[in-house]
Amino acid sequence: MQKIKTALLSYGMSGKVFHAPFLDIHEGFQLLGSWERSKKLIQEDYPYVKSYASLDELLSDDVDLVIVNTPVGTHYEYAKKVLLAGKHAVVEKAFTTTAAEAKELASIAKEKGLKLAVFQNRRWDSDFKTVKKVIDDGVLGDLVEAEFHFDRYNPLLSPKAHKETANDGAGVLKDLGPHIIDQAISLFGCPKAVFGDIRVTRENSVVDDWIDLCLFYSNFRVRLKAGFFVREANPAYTIHGKKGSFLKPRGDVQEDDLKAGKKPNLDLWGTEDESLQGLLHTEIEGIIVREKIPTLQGNYFSFFDGVYDSIANNKKEPVTADEGVKVMQVIEAAIASNAQQKVIGIQ
């Protein structure tokens, strides 16, 4: 089996939690190491890998794939350098700070015959996979509306300076927003227009921390919300169709398990507690059904499987750069909508 030699551009929370554990157990990847600017931590967890002192040192090594998992404001600069060096790339969300930057990266990758994927791991959350199956099964009938929430209760500012200082990559719209925007796009495609309401609600915050977006599709609407003052959670997913409804709380356990140091496996990994099952209330073959739906298993390993298949077997990336462009177009439309207080179309 071909080994794809892979390096990270940082080994903070994302590198330690979301990337290294999966690259380490996947037989198709060889984790070479990470660029570490100050703290040298990766060798404590993986003694056999390298700690690179600079991006140039990393790119001069025999690397096939680079994970761009640095602050959002650096994604465009670093991903461009990676691609121009002839390396495949995975870029975390938000893909870039503008749609124009995203389009340029997609163009460079295409011209050079390289794979460029966006790390939208939430497509492989247990809760979202279950929502997708219910919609795909058609048991709700023609959709009328959907509402996705990514809410938290956390009034305190983040200790990470890049998250709380005014810059093009900061704010909940480009932090939690890309998750639910991408989920909507993966289900329904790119909307025709967007109305965005973006606010600052935390004391002393200088970046947006509350969003309410309405995505306009031909025959239905999708509402996306995220904020930091939701102590009692709404359903993460509410889907209403002409036959029935499906309500699902957020329940995926993968992030918490990874943060607790648990290593991913392919058997019980990503299994939700049964108490978090979603409620389906609909009509099937003339019979009214109101029942809990078993939750599918979540597994971020599937994303890395897709990246491997894209590089080794020239398949499409699990989340393409073009899909990343669409997310950025929605984000830009939301910003313009909030500024102008009107619906903004997407070309």
Side-chain angles (χ1 to χ4, degrees), residues 286-338:
I287 301 173
I288 301 299
V289 175
R290 189 175 188 275
E291 61 184 9
K292 292 296 185 71
I293 299 297
T295 305
L296 298 179
Q297 182 181 359
N299 200 345
Y300 299 155
F301 190 88
S302 298
F303 173 84
F304 294 93
D305 253 351
V307 171
Y308 178 84
D309 208 26
S310 72
I311 296 173
N313 302 312
N314 198 29
K315 302 293 185 179
K316 187 172 76 170
E317 300 92 332
V319 183
T320 67
D322 287 340
E323 290 172 313
V325 170
K326 291 174 182 176
V327 171
M328 294 312 305
Q329 289 175 321
V330 170
I331 288 174
E332 286 194 345
I335 293 170
S337 173
N338 182 70

Side-chain angles (χ1 to χ4, degrees), residues 48-102:
Y48 44 85
V49 306
K50 302 176 184 178
S51 178
Y52 298 99
S54 68
L55 178 56
D56 289 340
E57 180 187 348
L58 184 152
L59 293 177
S60 67
D61 202 0
D62 185 21
V63 175
D64 302 311
L65 170 67
V66 176
I67 311 293
V68 182
N69 59 324
T70 49
V72 173
T74 66
H75 286 181
Y76 167 73
E77 176 190 355
Y78 291 158
K80 185 174 181 179
K81 287 183 178 180
V82 167
L83 294 170
L84 292 176
K87 316 293 186 182
H88 304 290
V90 169
V91 183
E92 283 201 340
K93 57 80 197 167
F95 185 21
T96 52
T97 60
T98 68
E101 291 176 347

Side-chain angles (χ1 to χ4, degrees), residues 103-152:
K103 289 177 181 178
E104 183 181 349
L105 294 180
S107 177
I108 293 171
K110 184 175 181 180
E111 289 172 4
K112 288 187 162 290
L114 296 167
K115 297 298 182 180
L116 173 59
V118 184
F119 186 62
Q120 289 286 6
N121 58 312
R122 298 294 179 176
R123 291 193 192 184
W124 289 271
D125 276 357
S126 53
D127 38 42
F128 179 70
K129 288 177 65 179
T130 307
V131 168
K132 184 178 187 305
K133 183 179 187 303
V134 168
I135 292 174
D136 289 347
D137 286 347
V139 295
L140 303 179
D142 294 336
L143 296 186
V144 175
E145 63 173 322
E147 186 167 318
F148 298 174
H149 282 252
F150 206 137
D151 297 322
R152 294 173 173 170

Side-chain angles (χ1 to χ4, degrees), residues 126-345:
S126 53
D127 38 42
F128 179 70
K129 288 177 65 179
T130 307
V131 168
K132 184 178 187 305
K133 183 179 187 303
V134 168
I135 292 174
D136 289 347
D137 286 347
V139 295
L140 303 179
D142 294 336
L143 296 186
V144 175
E145 63 173 322
E147 186 167 318
F148 298 174
H149 282 252
F150 206 137
D151 297 322
R152 294 173 173 170
Y153 186 80
N154 185 9
L156 302 178
L157 302 186
S158 170
K160 297 179 180 179
H162 68 271
K163 286 182 174 287
E164 299 293 358
T165 54
N167 64 80
D168 289 340
V172 74
L173 179 62
K174 291 181 181 175
D175 183 17
L176 300 181
H179 288 312
I180 48 181
I181 294 170
D182 176 75
Q183 288 180 341
I185 289 173
S186 72
L187 287 174
F188 311 122
C190 196
K192 296 178 178 297
V194 177
F195 183 80
D197 188 5
I198 304 168
R199 298 168 57 202
V200 178
T201 62
R202 294 170 303 160
E203 187 175 355
N204 298 320
S205 177
V206 297
V207 301
D208 62 88
D209 53 25
W210 184 95
I211 58 170
D212 184 355
L213 313 183
C214 183
L215 310 188
F216 289 73
Y217 293 87
S218 295
N219 299 315
F220 62 97
R221 301 288 182 265
V222 177
R223 193 174 183 188
L224 307 177
K225 295 193 69 175
F228 291 103
F229 285 104
V230 181
R231 195 185 287 274
E232 184 66 29
N234 299 286
Y237 303 94
T238 301
I239 320 294
H240 297 299
K242 292 186 176 180
K243 288 186 178 180
S245 304
F246 183 62
L247 281 67
K248 175 72 180 75
R250 187 167 301 281
D252 189 86
V253 299
Q254 294 179 87
E255 180 174 350
D256 287 344
D257 284 352
L258 290 163
K259 286 180 175 177
K262 296 181 181 179
K263 297 300 182 183
N265 61 73
L266 303 184
D267 297 321
L268 299 177
W269 182 257
T271 302
E272 278 190 25
D273 189 281
E274 289 186 3
S275 66
L276 295 171
Q277 289 180 350
L279 175 65
L280 175 67
H281 189 181
T282 191
E283 180 180 338
I284 301 176
E285 297 180 353
I287 301 173
I288 301 299
V289 175
R290 189 175 188 275
E291 61 184 9
K292 292 296 185 71
I293 299 297
T295 305
L296 298 179
Q297 182 181 359
N299 200 345
Y300 299 155
F301 190 88
S302 298
F303 173 84
F304 294 93
D305 253 351
V307 171
Y308 178 84
D309 208 26
S310 72
I311 296 173
N313 302 312
N314 198 29
K315 302 293 185 179
K316 187 172 76 170
E317 300 92 332
V319 183
T320 67
D322 287 340
E323 290 172 313
V325 170
K326 291 174 182 176
V327 171
M328 294 312 305
Q329 289 175 321
V330 170
I331 288 174
E332 286 194 345
I335 293 170
S337 173
N338 182 70
Q340 300 174 38
Q341 293 292 286
K342 67 178 184 178
V343 175
I344 301 294

